[in-house]
Amino acid sequence: MSDLSPPLLDAETAGTEVGHAHQDELRLWLRLLTCTNMIEGQIRSRLRADFDVTLPRFDLMAQLYRAADGMMMSEVSKRMMVSSGNVTLIVEHLLASGDVERQTSAHDRRAQLIRLTEAGRVHFREMASAHEAWIAGMFDGLTQKDIANLMKLLAKAKASLQADLSQHGSSADTPVVKKPSSRRSR
Amino acid sequence: MSDLSPPLLDAETAGTEVGHAHQDELRLWLRLLTCTNMIEGQIRSRLRADFDVTLPRFDLMAQLYRAADGMMMSEVSKRMMVSSGNVTLIVEHLLASGDVERQTSAHDRRAQLIRLTEAGRVHFREMASAHEAWIAGMFDGLTQKDIANLMKLLAKAKASLQADLSQHGSSADTPVVKKPSSRRSR
DNA sequence: AAAAACTACTTTAATCTTAAAATAGTTTGG
DNA sequence: CCAAACTATTTTAAGATTAAAGTAGTTTTT
């Protein structure tokens, strides 16, 4: 076991004020972060506990599940927004577990087509179904109206973020979302 | 440069329906994730670009900033909810950059007290100030009322999550938040 | 005061991620 | 057709994170 046994303390207990101008925005960000981390952490550990699978592998399987004819490595890399080197590694694990199969493209001998095996499809459906139930359970305390409101406000926030992002750095091919791996889907 | 140049595609464009029962919750989760990832990615890359500092180091400095008298390694570990092994490594980098100093506790020769150097305090203040401005900019498209509503709904979501969490796994010392490193603060 | 339990920290190993360099195959301009 | 440029992927190296094991010092129990 690790020596890590954190208290229920969460981000918002913190808050080092250096300036006071934009406290609310800061607090909002921290709360957003807390919620996301709680959910992501749960999904991650339940996937591991119940299915012995990592989140990146689940995400990749989700991508393939929707593409019955399979996908090129590069396509997967683009969709998951992770490097191709990373895709290579994840695919290797999934090949080993028999969830994925790989074949060289007929047209382009550089390109590799990967797709879920039949076992992989079955396996993914089980996981996806559990995953959906977990999330429903986590949001059980919200009404449908709460959920709708949250969706609306987060859409607005996202628009605001995109507006801000487009002003900054993104000069050319800068990865705009940056560390967006854990994309889940489903 | 990396070979990664992701399109503006984001999580919500995805969505592999395996069941249809709890679509809304799933979509809410994906949107939450997208927003968090966008913000976190921006903070991460701006910290690196503008101050040549990683997020964990910034987080650790934030913890120390609030503790004028310094803190034990274990205390930092608990607060950041990362393993002590991880803290050791991060502190080593901050020692090298001169932002942090370390001394053995007088009472307990196993324990190490770490604290920001004067240079570290100055350095942190600059970063924290920029950080606050970045976040304010990102939420610029929201009204104060939007922010207040979001805070309220997210508080409710958090409560729902905590209720769900307490039912699950957390039998004993299971890290309840699980992958809670990036805690930011300020 | 010695054994057992506990606490603080470090070390090691495994996984994941990114970046950069290397390799292999394809397309294009002259 | 051939060299140069481009594209797709793999490989390699470095950093971060987690878990687990190890080390050292302290407290508690008998």
Side-chain angles (χ1 to χ4, degrees), chain B residues 23-34:
Chain B
Q23 278 299 120
D24 292 343
E25 287 85 347
L26 221 40
R27 264 195 284 267
L28 174 58
W29 160 231
L30 293 175
R31 184 160 299 179
L32 200 62
L33 184 63
T34 301

Side-chain angles (χ1 to χ4, degrees), chain A residues 1 3-46 62-63 65-66 77-79 81-85 124-125 128-129 131-144 146-147 149-158 160-162 164-165 168 173-180 182-186, chain B residues 1 3-46 62-63 65-66 77-79 81-85 124-125 128-129 131-144 146-147 149-158 160-162 164-165 168 173 175-186:
Chain A
M1 242 280 139
D3 55 2
L4 176 64
S5 177
L8 253 296
L9 228 184
D10 60 86
E12 299 158 48
T13 320
T16 308
E17 279 78 65
V18 173
H20 296 275
H22 299 287
Q23 278 300 120
D24 293 343
E25 286 87 346
L26 221 40
R27 264 194 286 265
L28 174 58
W29 160 232
L30 292 174
R31 184 159 298 180
L32 200 62
L33 183 63
T34 301
C35 289
T36 301
N37 281 340
M38 287 172 83
I39 299 173
E40 179 161 341
Q42 280 299 304
I43 293 176
R44 208 178 277 273
S45 70
R46 290 182 197 180
Q63 292 296 332
Y65 185 80
R66 298 186 289 129
S77 167
K78 243 180 290 184
R79 288 196 199 243
M81 297 199 237
V82 300
S83 71
S84 56
F124 177 73
R125 260 190 296 265
S129 166
H131 176 258
E132 181 169 303
W134 294 336
I135 289 172
M138 293 186 216
F139 286 132
D140 201 36
L142 299 186
T143 65
Q144 282 306 119
D146 288 335
I147 292 176
N149 284 150
L150 260 176
M151 284 293 283
K152 204 179 305 174
L153 285 166
L154 287 176
K156 195 167 175 184
K158 199 172 102 180
S160 174
L161 287 170
Q162 276 166 337
D164 186 71
L165 258 60
H168 275 81
D173 68 346
T174 315
V176 185
V177 178
K178 200 47 215 240
K179 196 243 161 193
S182 305
R183 186 137 267 78
R184 220 72 13 73
S185 55
R186 284 213 57 231
Chain B
M1 245 278 136
D3 54 3
L4 178 63
S5 178
L8 252 297
L9 230 183
D10 60 87
E12 297 158 50
T13 319
T16 308
E17 277 78 63
V18 173
H20 295 277
H22 299 289
Q23 278 299 120
D24 292 343
E25 287 85 347
L26 221 40
R27 264 195 284 267
L28 174 58
W29 160 231
L30 293 175
R31 184 160 299 179
L32 200 62
L33 184 63
T34 301
C35 289
T36 301
N37 281 340
M38 288 173 82
I39 299 172
E40 180 162 338
Q42 279 299 303
I43 293 176
R44 209 179 276 274
S45 70
R46 290 183 198 179
Q63 291 297 332
Y65 186 80
R66 298 186 288 130
S77 167
K78 241 180 293 184
R79 287 196 199 244
M81 298 199 236
V82 300
S83 71
S84 55
F124 177 74
R125 259 191 296 264
S129 167
H131 176 258
E132 181 170 302
W134 295 335
I135 290 172
M138 294 186 215
F139 286 133
D140 201 34
L142 300 185
T143 65
Q144 281 307 118
D146 288 334
I147 292 176
N149 284 149
L150 261 176
M151 284 293 282
K152 205 179 302 175
L153 286 166
L154 288 175
K156 195 169 175 184
K158 198 171 104 180
S160 174
L161 288 170
Q162 275 166 338
D164 186 72
L165 259 60
H168 276 81
D173 67 345
V176 185
V177 178
K178 200 49 218 246
K179 196 243 160 192
S181 37
S182 305
R183 187 136 268 79
R184 220 69 14 78
S185 59
R186 283 213 59 233

